[in-house]
Amino acid sequence: MSSFGFGTLTVALFALVCCSGSDEKAFEVHMRLEKLITSLNKILLLKQTQWKHYLISNISHDTVLWCHFTCSGKQKSVSSNVSVYQPPRQVFLTLQPTWVAVGKSFTIECRVPAVEPLDSLTLSLLRGSETLHSQTFGKAAPALQEATATFSSMAHREDGHHNFSCLAVLDLMSRGGEVFCIHSAPKMLEIYEPMPDSQMVIIVTVVSVLLFLFVTSVLLCFIFSQHWRQRRMGTYGVRAAWRRLPQAFRP
């Protein structure tokens, strides 16, 4: 017998059938977990002379639930495997870098916090509807931890025309549950063409020549201005000295 529960509020409905002909006084029930890690909360929902129906809660991990009962003086027990799950609520996608040249590498990372059981989780990294990478997780992975999937690829021109996203799927069908799917928000890459080396050399040469011409023109302007200033000051000095000479010494 198996039951399924969500998070720390695991629900297991237990129906116990006793041997025929027994009365209510002869029917006693005791329930416990396989490992007494947490206290067990149980609520009696229904009962008859030959069975009792309980609501079990406060189970936070996969466990085996044992029910011991006495039927007409005979002790018996039954067990139920209880599986706890936490469906993915958020999926985060990161592109690094977000602006990349054609032929250069970039990385896609997908993160899903607090999901359980990890061995039933699959993360798929998508470009449009195309699956680039899928990742599953083993049973040894710790529960309620952040699940991460990464994938590195070379940038192509067409990558700039597609959305990148992550799909998280928690498949519990094999355990008697359902399938939970959630997508991340889509993101896009900014793709640009790398500049050829020859073109870069031409640009550097042109910039260098223009800078040289600019500096040369500034220096020439400074030299001509100084020369013009000196010539002008020299003429004014001779005229002033001529005026200061006495009339007798003038020719």
Side-chain angles (χ1 to χ4, degrees), residues 63-139:
T63 188
V64 177
L65 183 64
W66 284 92
C67 181
H68 305 277
F69 57 97
T70 302
C71 185
S72 299
K74 297 180 180 180
Q75 290 187 351
K76 298 182 180 181
S77 62
V78 292
S79 64
S80 174
N81 296 318
V82 179
S83 298
V84 177
Y85 70 92
Q86 176 74 34
R89 296 301 186 188
Q90 293 178 305
V91 181
F92 302 99
L93 182 73
T94 303
L95 298 177
Q96 185 62 36
T98 58
W99 196 62
V100 61
V102 174
K104 299 297 182 180
S105 64
F106 68 97
T107 300
I108 312 171
E109 181 184 70
C110 177
R111 298 183 294 108
V112 181
V115 60
E116 186 183 2
L118 287 181
D119 60 311
S120 296
L121 177 69
T122 301
L123 298 182
S124 298
L125 301 175
L126 308 175
R127 182 183 62 181
S129 59
E130 176 190 0
T131 300
L132 298 176
H133 175 69
S134 293
Q135 183 167 334
T136 56
F137 303 86
K139 294 183 178 180

Side-chain angles (χ1 to χ4, degrees), residues 17-23 50 71-72:
V17 181
C18 188
C19 53
S20 59
S22 62
D23 54 19
Q50 297 180 6
C71 185
S72 299

Side-chain angles (χ1 to χ4, degrees), residues 159-175:
D159 288 337
H161 305 290
H162 296 280
N163 287 325
F164 290 85
S165 62
C166 179
L167 172 63
V169 178
L170 187 67
D171 188 355
L172 305 176
M173 295 291 289
S174 61
R175 304 186 183 203

